[in-house]
Amino acid sequence: MSDNAPSADRSTNDRALRFYRDVLGLERLHYGMWLPDDELTMDSLKAAQKRYEDFLIDSIPEGARRVLDVGCGTGELCMNLKARGYEVEGLSPDINQKKVFAEKVEAPFHFTRFEDSQLEGGYDVIIMSESCQYIPIDRVFEVAAKSLKPGGYLMVCDYFVLDQNAGELSKSGHDYDAFLKGVVDSPFEIETRRDVTPDIRKTLEIADDWAEKILLGADILTEKFRNRNPFLWKLAQRFFGKKYEKAIAQRVLLDADKFSAVKKYEFFLFKLG
Ligand SMILES: C[S@@+](CC[C@H](N)C(=O)[O-])C[C@H]1O[C@@H](n2cnc3c(N)ncnc32)[C@H](O)[C@@H]1O
């Protein structure tokens, strides 16, 4: 099992994981796949996430057995894969995910960034569920090609940036054209693909709802303080101003229409030639 001790900042930042698990009660770290008539509830979100995982597993070509889940999060997909009879291994550079995975899944775990990994290889399928965007494009294909059996498959499900000039929205995700060029320059061919953007929009809508409520709650809770202590409030604003402004600027990330205009969430199954 590889253990390349990733850098401390990546390995100790567990805020996102704690927020998902402890605040929202979510075990999965991806957007999920909603049905058109789903209501915006926590139960629907959980069902959408399970539906997405089932879709990934159902898309594994027949005859495949050994699966590597790259950026395996808290190990939910690995647990599902094991339950469906696959031989599975997880990989993540996050120390907190390593701990959670060890508690939940009886399977090998590689504590490393994929691009630095020294895997023994021989996998039938490598899955990157919302983790591809963290790995340099050329290294995605180079390391996957080395780690797969001849004729093996690389599955990528992630969002990509269509418009590089859309501010906050352009900041995360690989450039779509650069990614497709990476495929052409690689030994992989596209076997199947599906635009998943419409299926994830309700995750943005429900998150935007929550953001609205959190901001309203903060406004109500600070109202008395603001009225009684205008000077202290001004001081606090100056102190927290940048963080608050950043949070407001990032609200655009939850705008489903803008997301669809700037980004594309796509499923790809690549076959190693
Ligand atoms: C948004 S989470 C997705 C988690 C999980 N695959 C899922 O679908 O719920 C991104 C995952 O990618 C992992 N990750 C980040 N950088 C990585 C890298 N360079 N190599 C491999 N995994 C990475 C994170 O630790 C995390 O597990």
Side-chain angles (χ1 to χ4, degrees):
M1 222 181 299
S2 44
D3 199 336
N4 286 347
S7 67
D9 56 336
R10 252 178 210 284
S11 55
T12 54
N13 184 357
D14 69 334
R15 268 176 304 173
L17 186 61
R18 274 166 41 217
F19 184 74
Y20 275 91
R21 295 189 93 204
D22 302 342
V23 181
L24 302 180
L26 293 171
E27 284 295 314
R28 299 169 164 105
L29 310 179
H30 53 74
Y31 281 66
M33 273 180 174
W34 295 72
L35 298 176
D37 294 334
D38 280 346
E39 284 180 17
L40 295 185
T41 64
M42 206 60 196
D43 283 346
S44 303
L45 172 57
K46 287 181 183 168
Q49 290 187 314
K50 175 74 171 64
R51 188 175 302 112
Y52 164 88
E53 269 179 24
D54 289 341
F55 166 74
L56 295 188
I57 299 176
D58 291 343
S59 305
I60 293 177
E62 217 159 291
R65 280 202 49 71
R66 279 195 75 202
V67 181
L68 174 69
D69 181 9
V70 170
C72 57
T74 68
E76 285 295 306
L77 178 62
C78 285
M79 275 197 339
N80 265 341
L81 284 160
K82 269 197 88 170
R84 299 264 295 257
Y86 292 98
E87 236 175 80
V88 66
E89 294 177 25
L91 180 150
S92 171
D94 186 304
I95 188 77
N96 300 292
Q97 291 172 19
K98 180 184 178 189
K99 281 186 211 143
V100 176
F101 189 96
E103 284 160 18
K104 276 186 7 187
V105 196
E106 231 178 277
F109 181 93
H110 304 274
F111 179 45
T112 174
R113 298 192 305 177
F114 183 64
E115 59 272 38
D116 303 332
S117 63
Q118 309 282 333
L119 301 161
E120 274 169 30
Y123 300 104
D124 296 305
V125 181
I126 292 177
I127 300 180
M128 294 181 184
S129 161
E130 279 182 38
S131 57
C132 179
Q133 59 179 278
Y134 302 103
I135 305 164
I137 295 174
D138 54 336
R139 302 290 287 154
V140 166
F141 295 108
E142 191 187 323
V143 180
K146 272 192 212 148
S147 311
L148 284 166
K149 281 182 187 162
Y153 294 88
L154 170 64
M155 185 184 288
V156 172
C157 202
D158 213 330
Y159 56 78
F160 300 88
V161 179
L162 304 172
D163 174 2
Q164 287 298 345
N165 301 309
E168 285 292 329
L169 274 162
S170 307
K171 285 187 184 164
S172 64
H174 283 312
D175 179 85
Y176 189 62
D177 293 334
F179 183 74
L180 292 182
K181 183 171 180 310
V183 182
V184 173
D185 296 341
S186 80
F188 288 91
E189 280 185 2
I190 299 175
E191 181 93 346
T192 49
R193 65 200 288 183
R194 172 174 159 185
D195 182 359
V196 189
T197 321
D199 308 76
I200 64 105
R201 4 178 346 118
K202 288 197 178 190
T203 299
L204 295 167
E205 288 171 7
I206 196 172
D208 195 49
D209 260 16
W210 290 332
E212 180 83 42
K213 284 182 185 134
I214 289 167
L215 287 176
L216 182 64
D219 195 53
I220 293 168
L221 288 173
T222 55
E223 190 178 14
K224 206 165 159 189
F225 181 81
R226 285 197 318 260
N227 292 340
R228 284 193 181 167
N229 308 283
F231 174 71
L232 282 180
W233 179 246
K234 265 211 174 107
L235 210 65
Q237 268 184 317
R238 202 174 295 164
F239 194 70
F240 293 113
K242 284 245 152 54
K243 280 194 175 141
Y244 182 75
E245 277 164 25
K246 194 174 171 204
I248 296 296
Q250 288 191 332
R251 181 90 189 270
V252 71
L253 298 175
L254 306 178
D255 184 319
D257 288 331
K258 291 198 172 120
F259 181 99
S260 308
V262 174
K263 292 188 173 194
K264 187 168 187 180
Y265 196 120
E266 192 156 347
F267 165 85
F268 291 98
L269 183 67
F270 302 108
K271 187 172 168 54
L272 182 60

